[in-house]
Amino acid sequence: MNGDAESKDDLSLPPRNQYVTSPSQCKVLASSPETDNQDAPSLLIDTPLCQGWHLFDVSMGQPKTTIIIQLSSHLSEASAQGAALLRLFLEVLELSFNKRRYMAEEGGLSIDITNYSFSSPCSGLRIMLHGYSHKLPVLLRDVIQEIASLIIDKDMFDMAKEKAVLDYRNRKFQQPYQHSLLSCHKVLESPFFSYQERLAAVEASSVQDLESFKQSFVSSLSIQALIIGNIPSTDATDLLSEVQETLGPSKPQELPKLSISKLSPGMVVTHERVCPDPDHVDSAVSLYLQVGPQTHEIDAEMELLCQMLDKAAYTQLRTQEQLGYIAWAEVHSRWGVTGLRIAVQSVKDPEDLADRIRGLLVSFREQLSGMDEEELAAHINSLILKKLEPDRNLESKCARLFHEIVTHRFVFDRRMRQVQHLRKVSKHTLLTLYDEWFAETSVKRNELVSAIIGKEALSARASDQKEEKLVRVCKIGEEQDIQEMGVDEFVNGLDRYYEQA
């Protein structure tokens, strides 16, 4: 009996969960004719430190809100070491905040913190929160306070470092087509840091390095934020002001300019290297054809074209020619520059794969030319319906509008503008686009071929593989006049498209 009494004395109730919303607090605020007709967010705060936007939206009929906050610093893109330390800072923050994340999830709130976004600039940390409007500000205050006052101890640093090192080491075992996409990014993007560079920087980092980085990161932040949902503008303004106060005073510095290499008309660039995983039998090729700066019209036409070309790639390269299961076409848009990219993974040699892709482009031109109006209308209507679909939830709506903010374009009705243009598109429109940029006879066409040589193709080649740091450059139709140079030398000699400021 005494033992039972003692064991009962050790029992206790779990601590109160501060993130749980009571039924009486779950109220959907009343909308007004003004807010019902508002589809674009309003700028509430515009200071050197913070740009904060808000949109009252109860169209989902739920007492919920979504918040995205981006904390940007020049340090994260300045060097491979900066990128590596940002990754370690993220890992330590996740470990430190893990218990409260669990409590928040139990209360119906969610939080995601990342240091990367493929579709939009993310020079720092991006925090996305979603859940019941009454308690979501509490979660935001807690994570912002954690960032401002985070203490980095040795044990937590070691765990974060071990996780990051393991991740970067395992990236060599990615699929060959993923390595070909990274090779493409290496030639196109600046700044760009490979996983090998990041791994070396992580392995060389210490607790003192991360502590110093954290202090410099917080003191040089700029903030971009969007709050959407069941929260009035006055409360949103107060919340954003609290975020500024917690993270300030800060002296934001100019972020590194993100840019894309400008490929010259008629240029053919081949970057070929051995697969980092020596045991993978497959090779892979991504063939990129650059168009140039994005516009509503170009974006709509490119998306429609690739919708049809992707099906053609599946039919011809995968089904008929049986190259392998991975064969697709996509619009590749990055930092305001668009282009077409086709990727294939197969046991065949990369040179053969590149020729097969070029063959696809020729046959697709014939297919497009012979397409009847009914089939074309079906493709156009399919894409229009896709763009007219309402956002499925607050998170997707917030992410779509936040993309416009961080890319500095602020075209919040982009989908409707593209729909208006699609309704005017004809076969002649698409053929004109195709012949201008992708046809064999086009004077504007350029190619970036990023090839990964797998075990099967490597063993079949008679000669030794060229050093992977080299690229081969020639003009279309002048393949016999090839110039070889280092990747960095080639990239540094190109003109660039710069991200819109």
Side-chain angles (χ1 to χ4, degrees), residues 219-236:
S219 64
S220 63
L221 285 177
S222 60
I223 304 167
Q224 290 173 298
L226 174 60
I227 301 177
I228 288 185
N230 186 53
I231 182 171
S233 60
T234 51
D235 292 356

Side-chain angles (χ1 to χ4, degrees), residues 26-93:
C26 292
K27 296 179 180 178
V28 178
L29 300 176
S31 59
S32 65
E34 274 188 20
T35 57
D36 284 342
N37 296 324
Q38 188 176 1
D39 293 323
S42 302
L43 183 61
L44 298 183
I45 293 180
D46 190 10
T47 68
L49 173 61
C50 178
Q51 189 180 69
W53 298 75
H54 168 260
L55 176 62
F56 180 79
D57 186 343
V58 291
S59 59
M60 305 294 177
Q62 296 179 323
K64 294 187 176 183
T65 294
T66 297
I67 302 172
I68 299 182
I69 289 188
Q70 182 159 304
L71 308 177
S72 301
S73 170
H74 68 290
L75 297 172
S76 60
E77 299 283 359
S79 64
Q81 183 188 35
L85 288 170
L86 178 68
R87 168 67 186 271
L88 290 174
F89 182 49
L90 170 62
E91 297 291 355
V92 170
L93 177 63

Side-chain angles (χ1 to χ4, degrees), residues 2-11:
N2 290 338
D4 290 343
E6 288 176 5
S7 63
K8 289 179 181 179
D9 289 340
D10 292 337
L11 298 177

Side-chain angles (χ1 to χ4, degrees), residues 276-291:
D277 179 2
D279 295 323
H280 207 299
V281 296
D282 280 358
S283 298
V285 164
S286 73
L287 191 148
Y288 169 79
L289 305 169
Q290 190 173 76
V291 173

Side-chain angles (χ1 to χ4, degrees), residues 229-407:
N230 186 53
I231 182 171
S233 60
T234 51
D235 292 356
T237 302
D238 292 342
L239 187 57
L240 291 171
S241 297
E242 285 185 55
V243 171
Q244 277 196 103
E245 186 176 345
T246 302
L247 293 175
S250 178
K251 295 181 179 179
Q253 298 189 34
E254 184 178 0
L255 299 176
K257 289 186 177 181
L258 306 178
S259 65
I260 296 293
S261 300
K262 187 175 184 179
L263 303 181
S264 302
M267 175 182 285
V268 178
V269 184
T270 303
H271 182 210
E272 193 175 71
R273 62 193 184 99
V274 175
C275 184
D277 179 2
D279 295 323
H280 207 299
V281 296
D282 280 358
S283 298
V285 164
S286 73
L287 191 148
Y288 169 79
L289 305 169
Q290 190 173 76
V291 173
Q294 291 179 260
T295 65
H296 306 313
E297 295 80 10
I298 287 290
D299 285 348
E301 292 171 20
M302 286 288 291
E303 192 170 350
L304 177 60
L305 197 65
C306 277
Q307 178 177 282
M308 295 184 281
L309 183 56
D310 185 52
K311 292 181 180 179
Y314 183 94
T315 301
Q316 181 170 324
L317 300 180
R318 176 176 170 174
T319 306
Q320 296 175 356
E321 300 183 13
Q322 297 186 346
L323 296 182
Y325 289 105
I326 298 172
W328 44 260
E330 65 172 359
V331 179
H332 177 76
S333 297
R334 191 85 157 145
W335 311 154
V337 178
T338 192
L340 165 66
R341 184 163 67 183
I342 304 172
V344 180
Q345 180 173 313
S346 172
V347 294
K348 294 186 178 296
D349 191 278
E351 291 184 2
D352 185 18
L353 296 180
D355 287 338
R356 302 286 188 108
I357 293 174
R358 295 184 184 105
L360 168 69
L361 291 170
V362 172
S363 63
F364 179 74
R365 171 62 173 79
E366 298 171 357
Q367 178 184 333
L368 182 60
S369 178
M371 186 177 295
D372 60 46
E373 295 300 326
E374 185 178 349
E375 184 179 356
L376 178 61
H379 283 293
I380 294 174
N381 291 332
S382 171
L383 184 55
I384 288 176
L385 287 174
K386 179 181 176 182
K387 290 186 175 295
L388 289 178
E389 284 183 2
D391 297 295
R392 296 186 178 183
N393 48 48
L394 276 179
E395 299 102 300
S396 61
K397 183 171 187 176
C398 193
R400 175 174 61 82
L401 296 177
F402 191 71
H403 175 84
E404 297 295 334
I405 292 170
V406 293
T407 56

Side-chain angles (χ1 to χ4, degrees), residues 152-204:
I152 304 168
D153 65 60
K154 182 69 165 57
D155 290 340
M156 197 173 293
F157 173 82
D158 289 342
M159 286 189 288
K161 184 173 181 178
E162 180 181 6
K163 182 179 178 182
V165 166
L166 184 62
D167 174 43
Y168 287 136
R169 284 179 178 170
N170 284 339
R171 291 192 187 187
K172 70 179 290 186
F173 301 110
Q174 294 179 126
Q175 290 289 323
Y177 83 91
Q178 292 174 305
H179 288 295
S180 75
L181 301 184
L182 286 174
S183 292
C184 177
H185 298 163
K186 180 177 177 63
V187 173
L188 289 178
E189 297 176 18
S190 179
F192 176 87
F193 309 113
S194 67
Y195 70 85
Q196 296 97 329
E197 293 172 309
R198 293 169 187 259
L199 172 61
V202 167
E203 290 178 327

